[in-house]
């Protein structure tokens, strides 16, 4: 059985005040069986971690990106080993906003995945097609090329240290969610592709769904056999909504 994982991606949102309030609001929610992680902007990772410690909330803190380089003259970059140093347990890599707005190619994403794993941090690899690609019938081709570029470098065992996230670009921040059937179909294709390389790793790999997940649609999505949790953007900024999504993942964990 795979333990479910719910990850909050705060994107470029947050402040000391918001973190303080968020953690206060989360305090008192009952612990669940679902593994839970929040990824605030880099600069807030240590503060977020400390704030959780003083509240006795068991939750990981992760990052949203890292450099493909180890160290050196790369002004403005943050390396995977620095993220390990500040206690970041996961790093999201290949998010569609990084691919679309910052020109990250499959090759760059694969280099980042390697850095993350070498630093002892867990990667969360995002894959997903645009609306145009879906309408042109290219969904499978796109997500498999994104997945395979990384698997060719880090292998199935490398990816299994973290997770894979299917995030259709047309569903991110748009309020449009893939139906559970649409999502499950792609998740199964992704898992089958990992299976063709290594069946044991394929059954261990957690595949998260992301794209307008909310408390109202989370349980149906997470009930699908190949959906093992979620990558949550907008709804993760409200502690109550994030917790409701975590609860939905726990509720269906036994079924999957
Ligand atoms: P959303 O974002 O939940 O706001 O759609 C998801 C993501 O980008 O990871």
């Amino acid at each position: 059985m795979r333990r479910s994982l719910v990850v909050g991606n705060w994107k470029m949102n947050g402040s000391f005040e918001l973190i303080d309030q968020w953690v206060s609001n989360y305090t008192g929610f009952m612990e669940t069986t679902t593994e839970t992680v929040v990824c605030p902007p880099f600069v807030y990772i240590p503060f977020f971690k400390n704030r959780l410690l003083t509240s006795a909330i068991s939750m990981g803190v992760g990052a949203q990106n890292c450099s493909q380089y180890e160290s050196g003259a790369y002004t403005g970059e943050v390396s995977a080993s620095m993220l390990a140093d500040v206690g970041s347990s996961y790093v999201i890599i290949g998010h569609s906003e990084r691919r679309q707005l910052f020109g990250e190619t499959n090759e760059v994403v694969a280099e980042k995945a390697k850095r993350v794993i070498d630093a002892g941090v867990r990667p969360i690899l995002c894959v997903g097609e645009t609306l145009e690609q879906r309408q042109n019938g290219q969904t499978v081709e796109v997500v498999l090329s994104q997945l395979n570029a990384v698997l060719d470098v880090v292998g199935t065992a490398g990816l299994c240290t973290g997770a894979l996230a299917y995030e259709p670009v047309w569903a991110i921040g748009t309020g449009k969610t893939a139906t559970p059937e649409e999502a499950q179909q792609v998740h199964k294709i992704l898992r089958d592709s990992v299976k063709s390389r290594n069946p044991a790793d394929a059954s261990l790999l957690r595949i998260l769904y992301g794209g307008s997940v909310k408390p109202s649609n989370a349980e149906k999505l997470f009930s699908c056999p190949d959906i093992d949790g979620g990558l949550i953007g907008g709804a993760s900024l409200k502690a109550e909504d994030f917790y409701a999504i975590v609860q939905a993942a726990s509720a269906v964990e036994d079924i999957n």
Side-chain angles (χ1 to χ4, degrees), residues 127-187:
V127 299
E129 80 289 1
T130 62
L131 183 59
E132 197 187 352
Q133 289 166 333
R134 173 163 280 258
Q135 285 167 343
N136 290 339
Q138 295 171 305
T139 300
V140 173
E141 180 195 325
V142 169
V143 299
L144 289 186
S145 70
Q146 292 170 336
L147 171 64
N148 285 322
V150 172
L151 289 181
D152 288 347
V153 174
V154 305
T156 56
L159 185 59
C160 275
T161 62
L164 178 61
Y166 170 55
E167 296 206 305
V169 179
W170 46 272
I172 295 177
T174 57
K176 275 187 216 144
T177 320
T179 63
E181 294 73 27
E182 283 170 331
Q184 164 60 25
Q185 196 182 23
V186 179
H187 280 234

Side-chain angles (χ1 to χ4, degrees), residues 63-118:
Q64 302 168 17
N65 180 33
C66 72
S67 174
Q68 74 257 44
Y69 304 112
E70 174 52 33
S71 64
Y74 301 104
T75 302
E77 291 289 276
V78 174
S79 73
S81 50
M82 291 170 188
L83 293 171
D85 224 10
V86 296
S88 180
S89 46
Y90 284 85
V91 182
I92 298 170
I93 49 167
H95 189 280
S96 64
E97 286 150 19
R98 301 291 324 165
R99 294 178 190 264
Q100 292 199 313
L101 305 173
F102 301 95
E104 288 187 11
T105 61
N106 282 344
E107 291 66 37
V108 167
V109 175
E111 283 167 24
K112 290 185 178 198
K114 183 158 186 344
R115 294 287 176 202
V116 171
I117 294 162
D118 288 351

Side-chain angles (χ1 to χ4, degrees), residues 18-100:
L18 180 76
I19 294 166
D20 197 48
Q21 194 57 54
W22 193 98
V23 173
S24 294
N25 293 346
Y26 207 93
T27 306
F29 289 148
M30 255 172 45
E31 223 175 285
T32 70
T33 50
T34 297
E35 185 182 355
T36 314
V37 178
V38 171
C39 303
F42 288 138
V43 289
Y44 294 118
I45 293 171
F47 178 74
F48 207 124
K49 272 192 78 79
N50 287 335
R51 187 67 184 82
L52 288 172
L53 278 177
T54 57
S55 317
I57 297 173
S58 67
M59 182 183 291
V61 180
Q64 302 168 17
N65 180 33
C66 72
S67 174
Q68 74 257 44
Y69 304 112
E70 174 52 33
S71 64
Y74 301 104
T75 302
E77 291 289 276
V78 174
S79 73
S81 50
M82 291 170 188
L83 293 171
D85 224 10
V86 296
S88 180
S89 46
Y90 284 85
V91 182
I92 298 170
I93 49 167
H95 189 280
S96 64
E97 286 150 19
R98 301 291 324 165
R99 294 178 190 264
Q100 292 199 313

Side-chain angles (χ1 to χ4, degrees), residues 7-11 92 95-97 126 165 167-169 171-176 209-214 231-236:
V7 181
N9 173 11
W10 277 22
K11 309 193 178 185
I92 298 170
H95 189 280
S96 64
E97 286 150 19
C126 301
E167 296 206 305
V169 179
I172 295 177
T174 57
K176 275 187 216 144
Y209 170 78
S212 299
V213 178
K214 306 179 267 264
L231 181 53
I232 320 300
S236 69

